[in-house]
Coordinates of all heavy atoms in Angstrom, one line a residue:
Q176 N 161.1 80.7 46.5 CA 162.0 79.8 47.2 C 163.1 80.5 48.0 O 163.5 80.0 49.0 CB 162.7 78.9 46.1 CG 161.7 78.0 45.3 CD 162.4 77.2 44.3 OE1 163.6 77.2 44.1 NE2 161.6 76.4 43.6
A177 N 163.5 81.7 47.5 CA 164.5 82.4 48.2 C 164.0 83.4 49.2 O 164.7 84.2 49.8 CB 165.4 83.1 47.2
L178 N 162.6 83.5 49.3 CA 162.0 84.5 50.1 C 162.4 84.3 51.6 O 162.8 85.2 52.3 CB 160.5 84.5 49.9 CG 159.7 85.5 50.8 CD1 160.1 86.9 50.4 CD2 158.2 85.3 50.6
F179 N 162.3 83.0 52.1 CA 162.6 82.8 53.5 C 164.1 83.0 53.8 O 164.4 83.6 54.9 CB 162.2 81.3 53.8 CG 162.4 80.9 55.2 CD1 161.6 81.4 56.3 CD2 163.5 80.1 55.5 CE1 161.9 81.0 57.6 CE2 163.8 79.7 56.8 CZ 162.9 80.2 57.9
Y180 N 164.9 82.6 52.9 CA 166.4 82.7 53.2 C 166.8 84.2 53.2 O 167.5 84.6 54.1 CB 167.1 82.0 52.1 CG 168.6 82.2 52.1 CD1 169.4 81.5 53.1 CD2 169.3 83.0 51.3 CE1 170.8 81.7 53.2 CE2 170.6 83.2 51.3 CZ 171.4 82.6 52.3 OH 172.8 82.8 52.3
N181 N 166.3 85.0 52.3 CA 166.7 86.4 52.3 C 166.1 87.2 53.4 O 166.7 88.1 53.9 CB 166.2 87.0 50.9 CG 167.0 86.5 49.8 OD1 168.2 86.1 49.9 ND2 166.4 86.4 48.6
Q182 N 164.9 86.7 53.9 CA 164.3 87.4 55.0 C 165.2 87.2 56.3 O 165.3 88.1 57.1 CB 162.9 86.9 55.3 CG 161.9 87.5 54.3 CD 160.5 87.0 54.6 OE1 160.3 86.1 55.4 NE2 159.5 87.6 53.9
E183 N 165.7 86.0 56.4 CA 166.6 85.7 57.6 C 167.9 86.6 57.5 O 168.4 87.0 58.5 CB 166.9 84.3 57.7 CG 165.7 83.4 58.1 CD 166.1 82.0 58.2 OE1 167.2 81.6 57.8 OE2 165.2 81.2 58.7
N184 N 168.4 86.7 56.3 CA 169.6 87.5 56.1 C 169.4 89.0 55.9 O 170.3 89.7 55.7 CB 170.4 86.9 54.9 CG 170.8 85.5 55.1 OD1 171.0 85.0 56.3 ND2 170.9 84.7 54.0
G185 N 168.1 89.4 56.0 CA 167.8 90.8 55.8 C 167.9 91.3 54.4 O 168.0 92.5 54.1
G186 N 168.0 90.4 53.4 CA 168.1 90.8 52.0 C 166.8 90.8 51.3 O 165.7 90.4 51.8
K187 N 166.8 91.2 50.0 CA 165.6 91.2 49.2 C 165.6 90.0 48.4 O 166.6 89.5 47.9 CB 165.6 92.4 48.3 CG 165.7 93.8 49.0 CD 164.4 94.0 49.9 CE 164.4 95.3 50.6 NZ 163.2 95.5 51.4
P188 N 164.4 89.4 48.1 CA 164.4 88.2 47.3 C 164.6 88.5 45.8 O 164.2 89.6 45.4 CB 163.0 87.7 47.6 CG 162.2 88.9 47.9 CD 163.1 89.8 48.7
P189 N 165.2 87.6 45.1 CA 165.4 87.9 43.7 C 164.1 87.8 42.9 O 163.1 87.2 43.3 CB 166.4 86.8 43.3 CG 166.1 85.7 44.2 CD 165.7 86.3 45.5
L190 N 164.1 88.4 41.7 CA 162.9 88.4 40.9 C 163.1 87.2 39.9 O 164.2 87.0 39.3 CB 162.7 89.7 40.1 CG 162.5 90.9 40.9 CD1 162.4 92.1 40.0 CD2 161.2 90.8 41.7
V191 N 162.0 86.5 39.7 CA 162.0 85.4 38.7 C 160.8 85.5 37.8 O 159.8 86.2 38.1 CB 161.9 84.0 39.5 CG1 163.1 83.8 40.3 CG2 160.6 83.9 40.3
G192 N 160.9 84.9 36.7 CA 159.8 85.0 35.7 C 158.7 84.0 36.0 O 159.0 82.8 36.2
I193 N 157.4 84.5 35.9 CA 156.3 83.6 36.2 C 155.4 83.7 34.9 O 155.1 84.8 34.4 CB 155.5 84.0 37.4 CG1 156.4 83.9 38.6 CG2 154.2 83.2 37.5 CD1 155.7 84.3 39.9
Q194 N 155.1 82.5 34.4 CA 154.3 82.5 33.2 C 152.9 82.0 33.5 O 152.7 81.0 34.2 CB 155.0 81.5 32.2 CG 154.3 81.5 30.8 CD 154.9 80.6 29.8 OE1 155.6 79.7 30.2 NE2 154.8 80.8 28.5
L195 N 151.9 82.7 32.9 CA 150.5 82.4 33.0 C 150.0 81.9 31.7 O 150.0 82.7 30.7 CB 149.6 83.6 33.5 CG 148.1 83.4 33.5 CD1 147.8 82.3 34.6 CD2 147.4 84.7 33.8
V196 N 149.7 80.6 31.6 CA 149.3 80.0 30.3 C 147.9 79.6 30.4 O 147.5 78.8 31.3 CB 150.2 78.8 30.0 CG1 149.8 78.2 28.7 CG2 151.7 79.2 30.0
V197 N 147.0 80.1 29.5 CA 145.6 79.7 29.4 C 145.4 79.1 28.0 O 145.8 79.7 27.0 CB 144.7 80.9 29.6 CG1 143.2 80.5 29.5 CG2 145.0 81.6 31.0
P198 N 144.8 78.0 28.0 CA 144.6 77.4 26.6 C 143.8 78.3 25.7 O 142.8 78.9 26.1 CB 143.9 76.1 26.9 CG 144.1 75.8 28.4 CD 144.3 77.1 29.0
K199 N 144.3 78.4 24.5 CA 143.6 79.3 23.5 C 142.6 78.5 22.8 O 142.9 77.4 22.2 CB 144.7 79.8 22.6 CG 144.1 80.8 21.6 CD 145.3 81.3 20.7 CE 144.8 82.3 19.7 NZ 145.9 82.8 18.8
P200 N 141.3 78.9 22.8 CA 140.2 78.2 22.0 C 140.4 78.4 20.6 O 141.1 79.3 20.1 CB 139.0 78.8 22.6 CG 139.4 80.2 23.0 CD 140.8 80.1 23.5
P201 N 139.6 77.7 19.8 CA 139.6 77.9 18.3 C 139.2 79.3 17.9 O 138.4 79.9 18.6 CB 138.6 76.9 17.8 CG 138.4 75.9 18.9 CD 138.7 76.6 20.2
K202 N 139.8 79.7 16.9 CA 139.5 81.1 16.4 C 138.2 81.2 15.7 O 137.5 82.3 15.6 CB 140.6 81.6 15.4 CG 142.0 81.7 16.1 CD 143.0 82.2 15.1 CE 144.3 82.4 15.8 NZ 145.3 82.9 14.8
N203 N 137.7 80.1 15.1 CA 136.5 80.2 14.3 C 135.3 79.8 15.2 O 134.9 78.7 15.3 CB 136.6 79.2 13.2 CG 137.7 79.5 12.2 OD1 138.0 80.7 12.0 ND2 138.3 78.5 11.6
Y204 N 134.7 80.8 15.9 CA 133.4 80.6 16.6 C 132.2 80.5 15.6 O 132.2 81.3 14.7 CB 133.2 81.8 17.6 CG 134.2 81.8 18.7 CD1 135.4 82.5 18.7 CD2 133.9 81.1 19.9 CE1 136.3 82.5 19.7 CE2 134.8 81.1 21.0 CZ 136.0 81.8 20.9 OH 136.9 81.8 21.9
I205 N 131.3 79.6 15.9 CA 130.2 79.4 15.0 C 129.3 80.6 14.8 O 128.8 80.9 13.8 CB 129.5 78.1 15.4 CG1 128.4 77.8 14.3 CG2 128.8 78.3 16.8 CD1 129.0 77.4 13.0
F206 N 129.1 81.3 16.0 CA 128.1 82.4 15.9 C 128.7 83.6 15.2 O 128.0 84.5 14.9 CB 127.7 82.8 17.3 CG 128.7 83.1 18.3 CD1 129.3 84.4 18.3 CD2 129.2 82.2 19.1 CE1 130.3 84.7 19.2 CE2 130.2 82.5 20.0 CZ 130.8 83.7 20.0
T207 N 130.0 83.6 15.0 CA 130.6 84.8 14.3 C 130.3 84.8 12.8 O 130.4 85.8 12.1 CB 132.1 84.8 14.4 OG1 132.7 83.6 13.9 CG2 132.5 85.0 15.9
K208 N 129.8 83.5 12.3 CA 129.5 83.4 10.9 C 128.0 83.6 10.6 O 127.6 83.5 9.5 CB 129.9 82.0 10.4 CG 131.4 81.8 10.4 CD 131.7 80.4 9.9 CE 133.2 80.2 10.0 NZ 133.6 78.8 9.5
W209 N 127.2 83.9 11.7 CA 125.8 84.1 11.5 C 125.5 85.4 10.8 O 126.4 86.4 10.9 CB 125.1 84.1 12.8 CG 125.1 82.7 13.5 CD1 125.5 81.6 13.0 CD2 124.6 82.4 14.8 NE1 125.4 80.6 13.8 CE2 124.9 81.0 15.0 CE3 124.1 83.2 15.8 CZ2 124.5 80.4 16.2 CZ3 123.8 82.6 17.0 CH2 124.0 81.2 17.2
N210 N 124.3 85.5 10.2 CA 124.0 86.8 9.5 C 123.3 87.7 10.5 O 122.1 87.8 10.6 CB 123.0 86.4 8.3 CG 122.8 87.6 7.4 OD1 123.1 88.7 7.8 ND2 122.2 87.3 6.2
W211 N 124.2 88.4 11.2 CA 123.7 89.2 12.3 C 122.8 90.4 11.8 O 121.8 90.7 12.5 CB 124.8 89.7 13.2 CG 125.4 88.7 14.0 CD1 126.5 88.0 13.9 CD2 124.8 88.1 15.2 NE1 126.7 87.1 14.8 CE2 125.6 87.1 15.7 CE3 123.6 88.4 15.9 CZ2 125.3 86.4 16.8 CZ3 123.3 87.7 17.0 CH2 124.2 86.7 17.5
P212 N 123.0 91.0 10.7 CA 122.1 92.1 10.3 C 120.7 91.5 10.0 O 119.7 92.1 10.4 CB 122.7 92.6 9.0 CG 124.2 92.3 9.1 CD 124.3 91.0 9.9
L213 N 120.6 90.3 9.4 CA 119.3 89.7 9.2 C 118.6 89.3 10.5 O 117.4 89.5 10.7 CB 119.4 88.5 8.3 CG 118.1 87.8 7.9 CD1 117.1 88.7 7.3 CD2 118.4 86.5 7.1
I214 N 119.5 88.8 11.4 CA 118.9 88.4 12.7 C 118.4 89.6 13.5 O 117.3 89.6 14.1 CB 120.0 87.7 13.6 CG1 120.4 86.4 12.9 CG2 119.5 87.5 15.0 CD1 121.5 85.7 13.6
R215 N 119.1 90.7 13.4 CA 118.6 92.0 14.1 C 117.3 92.5 13.5 O 116.4 92.9 14.2 CB 119.7 93.0 14.1 CG 120.9 92.8 15.0 CD 121.7 94.0 15.1 NE 122.4 94.4 13.9 CZ 123.6 94.0 13.5 NH1 124.3 93.1 14.2 NH2 124.1 94.3 12.3
K216 N 117.2 92.4 12.2 CA 116.0 92.9 11.5 C 114.8 92.0 11.8 O 113.7 92.4 12.1 CB 116.2 92.9 10.0 CG 117.2 94.0 9.5 CD 117.3 94.0 8.0 CE 118.3 95.1 7.6 NZ 118.4 95.1 6.1
T217 N 115.1 90.7 11.8 CA 114.0 89.7 12.1 C 113.5 89.9 13.5 O 112.3 89.9 13.8 CB 114.5 88.3 11.9 OG1 115.0 88.1 10.6 CG2 113.4 87.3 12.2
C218 N 114.4 90.1 14.5 CA 114.0 90.3 15.9 C 113.2 91.6 16.1 O 112.2 91.6 16.8 CB 115.2 90.2 16.8 SG 116.1 88.6 16.9
F219 N 113.7 92.6 15.4 CA 113.0 93.9 15.5 C 111.6 93.8 15.0 O 110.6 94.2 15.7 CB 113.8 95.0 14.7 CG 113.1 96.3 14.7 CD1 113.1 97.1 15.8 CD2 112.5 96.7 13.5 CE1 112.5 98.4 15.7 CE2 111.8 97.9 13.5 CZ 111.9 98.8 14.6
W220 N 111.5 93.3 13.8 CA 110.1 93.3 13.2 C 109.2 92.2 13.9 O 108.0 92.4 13.9 CB 110.2 93.0 11.7 CG 110.7 94.1 10.9 CD1 111.9 94.2 10.2 CD2 110.1 95.4 10.7 NE1 112.1 95.4 9.6 CE2 111.0 96.2 9.9 CE3 109.0 96.0 11.2 CZ2 110.8 97.5 9.6 CZ3 108.7 97.3 10.9 CH2 109.6 98.0 10.1
S221 N 109.8 91.2 14.4 CA 109.0 90.2 15.2 C 108.5 90.9 16.4 O 107.3 90.8 16.8 CB 109.8 89.0 15.6 OG 110.3 88.3 14.4
L222 N 109.3 91.7 17.1 CA 108.9 92.4 18.3 C 107.8 93.4 17.9 O 106.8 93.6 18.6 CB 110.0 93.1 18.9 CG 109.7 94.0 20.2 CD1 109.1 93.1 21.3 CD2 111.0 94.7 20.7
M223 N 108.0 94.1 16.8 CA 106.9 95.1 16.4 C 105.6 94.4 16.0 O 104.5 94.9 16.3 CB 107.4 95.9 15.1 CG 108.6 96.8 15.4 SD 108.2 98.1 16.5 CE 109.0 97.5 18.0
S224 N 105.7 93.2 15.4 CA 104.5 92.5 15.1 C 103.7 92.0 16.4 O 102.5 92.1 16.4 CB 104.8 91.2 14.2 OG 105.5 91.6 13.0
I225 N 104.5 91.6 17.4 CA 103.9 91.2 18.6 C 103.2 92.4 19.3 O 102.1 92.3 19.8 CB 104.9 90.5 19.5 CG1 105.4 89.2 18.9 CG2 104.4 90.3 20.9 CD1 106.6 88.6 19.7
L226 N 103.9 93.5 19.3 CA 103.3 94.7 19.9 C 102.0 95.1 19.2 O 101.0 95.5 19.8 CB 104.3 95.8 19.9 CG 105.5 95.6 20.9 CD1 106.5 96.8 20.7 CD2 105.1 95.4 22.3
A227 N 102.1 95.1 17.8 CA 100.9 95.4 17.0 C 99.8 94.5 17.3 O 98.6 94.9 17.4 CB 101.3 95.5 15.6

Side-chain angles (χ1 to χ4, degrees):
Q176 298 178 359
L178 179 61
F179 179 75
Y180 174 78
N181 290 331
Q182 285 181 350
E183 290 182 352
N184 298 333
K187 302 295 182 179
L190 297 177
V191 295
I193 297 177
Q194 186 179 23
L195 176 64
V196 179
V197 180
K199 183 177 180 181
K202 293 183 179 180
N203 297 328
Y204 291 91
I205 186 63
F206 56 83
T207 60
K208 297 180 180 180
W209 293 353
N210 192 344
W211 286 104
L213 179 60
I214 293 175
R215 287 193 295 270
K216 291 180 180 179
T217 303
C218 294
F219 174 78
W220 289 113
S221 299
L222 178 61
M223 292 296 103
S224 300
I225 293 173
L226 293 177

